[in-house]
Amino acid sequence: MDKDISTKQKKIRTLLDEKKGILLAHYYQRPEIQDIADFRGDSLSLSIRATETDARVIVFAGVRFMAESASILSPDKTVLLPRLDAGCPLADMITGGELKELKRLHPGVPVVTYVNSSAATKADSDVCCTSANSVKVVNSFTGAETVIMVPDGNLARYTARFTDKRVIPGRGYCYVHHNLSPDDIRAVKEQHPKAVLAVHPECTLDVIDMADFVGSTSGILQFARTTEASEIIVGTEHGIMHLLKKENPGKTFIPASPSMVCRDMKLITLDDILDALTEMKHVISVPDEIRKPAYRALRKMLDLSS
Ligand code: 13P
Ligand code: SF4
């Protein structure tokens, strides 16, 4: 390994020990960050882990909504996001005004909000969901015939397939997954005819319909461990390849498209984490008037997932 990288990794681990901190990393983060994280996971497991730790400081290698969720769930902890500009375009695809308008048009209809959203959107929602539990969350509204699901329209349309309820989708999408096309899949399948296809539910339904497996990042990792196939086309962000290859040395993983890279997920570097720990920046906190209702929506999701 690059000497420079391992020196920085060691410094980060020393600073984490000194500050009684832990490093949480999403599967889309750079490999050298995932390798030294105390815990790496999908959105749901990272939220859960943030509630379970005794650490005083949580360094979040992910994007802003993830650090916000950690702070909402654990307001007594110091949550650091090493890059303030690490956002999520999908989370920004619903405004407070739009959600109010949806609620006005559909009075009394429960709002299920994907965790890839701002704290303010969560605060205006009945419950949150992730791609790992969206069906369970929607079906938990036993008395409701209709639910609103924002901001990701693709996840909403996919979830609608597993419920009798009418699902009103948000207009948002994750560009990393939404831009994957059936033509991309056909091209890669032509090169790898024996490969199976695993995709994330943030993809469009026409891509989902071509897949052998659809699931969250954890779901895709689990599928890769258990499938008998030795070649797997991966329809999610490129960062997941690191763990897929590490865990399954005998299998071959092929990106569904070389452009499935999230710019925001790749912003954080080892240097940013070093700076964050040295200067204790950037502290993410949510004002109480938003935190409390957002906490209720996240807590309800976690209770349903346990
Ligand atoms: P999951 O890890 O929950 O599948 O989420 C994917 C994602 O797009 C996170 O930004
Ligand atoms: Fe947002 Fe998509 Fe990037 Fe996840 S992969 S942070 S949903 S833009």
Side-chain angles (χ1 to χ4, degrees):
M1 189 200 295
D2 187 326
K3 211 168 141 227
D4 197 33
I5 290 182
S6 81
T7 308
K8 286 175 189 171
Q9 286 177 321
K10 280 186 195 128
K11 274 191 193 161
I12 289 171
R13 289 302 331 167
T14 306
L15 279 168
L16 283 165
D17 284 349
E18 275 172 31
K19 311 228 169 184
K20 300 203 179 356
I22 56 162
L23 175 63
L24 302 184
H26 189 267
Y27 294 128
Y28 295 164
Q29 289 289 296
R30 293 169 186 268
E32 64 273 23
I33 294 175
Q34 291 192 46
D35 282 345
I36 52 159
D38 294 273
F39 183 76
R40 55 193 160 198
D42 68 358
S43 309
L44 179 62
S45 58
L46 289 171
S47 295
I48 293 171
R49 190 48 72 109
T51 64
E52 289 173 346
T53 178
D54 292 332
R56 284 209 295 251
V57 177
I58 299 174
V59 183
F60 221 113
V63 293
R64 189 181 183 99
F65 75 79
M66 296 179 172
E68 270 184 357
S69 293
S71 176
I72 290 165
L73 290 165
S74 308
D76 51 323
K77 304 211 175 5
T78 304
V79 178
L80 303 178
L81 181 63
R83 283 283 292 254
L84 262 189
D85 52 348
C88 169
L90 165 60
D92 297 335
M93 285 184 192
I94 180 128
T95 62
E98 275 173 300
L99 186 50
K100 273 196 180 61
E101 181 58 10
L102 268 174
K103 287 165 99 168
R104 192 188 65 75
L105 287 171
H106 305 283
V109 171
V111 177
V112 177
T113 293
Y114 193 27
V115 288
N116 301 36
S117 55
S118 68
T121 306
K122 290 181 178 76
D124 258 348
S125 311
D126 293 279
V127 63
C128 290
C129 75
T130 72
S131 54
N133 62 16
S134 63
V135 174
K136 199 172 183 183
V137 169
V138 165
N139 283 329
S140 72
F141 289 93
T142 44
E145 286 176 6
T146 308
V147 299
I148 294 168
M149 208 171 161
V150 292
D152 190 352
N154 288 329
L155 180 66
R157 283 180 284 274
Y158 177 67
T159 305
R161 290 183 163 181
F162 303 93
T163 177
D164 294 337
K165 301 181 198 312
R166 179 177 160 233
V167 179
I168 300 169
R171 66 168 180 90
Y173 59 88
C174 160
Y175 73 95
V176 177
H177 294 89
H178 188 78
N179 291 344
L180 180 66
S181 71
D183 280 347
D184 293 326
I185 303 295
R186 277 189 279 273
V188 73
K189 278 200 160 195
E190 215 171 284
Q191 299 291 316
H192 304 274
K194 288 197 182 129
V196 293
L197 172 66
V199 305
H200 195 278
E202 288 175 11
C203 292
T204 56
L205 287 183
D206 49 3
V207 165
I208 282 175
D209 285 339
M210 298 169 89
D212 300 282
F213 177 80
V214 184
S216 69
T217 49
S218 295
I220 291 174
L221 281 155
Q222 178 63 14
F223 171 74
R225 283 177 211 121
T226 49
T227 179
E228 280 174 16
S230 59
E231 280 184 275
I232 301 153
I233 302 168
V234 181
T236 192
E237 210 273 347
H238 198 264
I240 201 172
M241 291 292 187
H242 177 57
L243 198 55
L244 282 171
K245 289 178 184 167
K246 213 168 159 173
E247 287 188 348
N248 307 279
K251 295 181 180 173
T252 306
F253 296 95
I254 308 128
S257 156
S259 43
M260 294 193 82
V261 176
C262 174
R263 289 186 290 270
D264 290 85
M265 280 285 184
K266 296 295 177 283
L267 281 175
I268 297 175
T269 62
L270 291 174
D271 285 319
D272 294 322
I273 297 177
L274 270 174
D275 289 350
L277 276 163
T278 309
E279 297 170 36
M280 292 301 279
K281 67 175 189 185
H282 304 276
V283 177
I284 301 298
S285 65
V286 178
D288 260 4
E289 66 273 20
I290 294 176
R291 194 190 71 75
K292 286 183 181 162
Y295 176 86
R296 275 197 290 278
L298 276 170
R299 190 69 254 169
K300 195 166 169 190
M301 171 189 81
L302 294 180
D303 290 346
L304 284 167
S305 306
S306 59

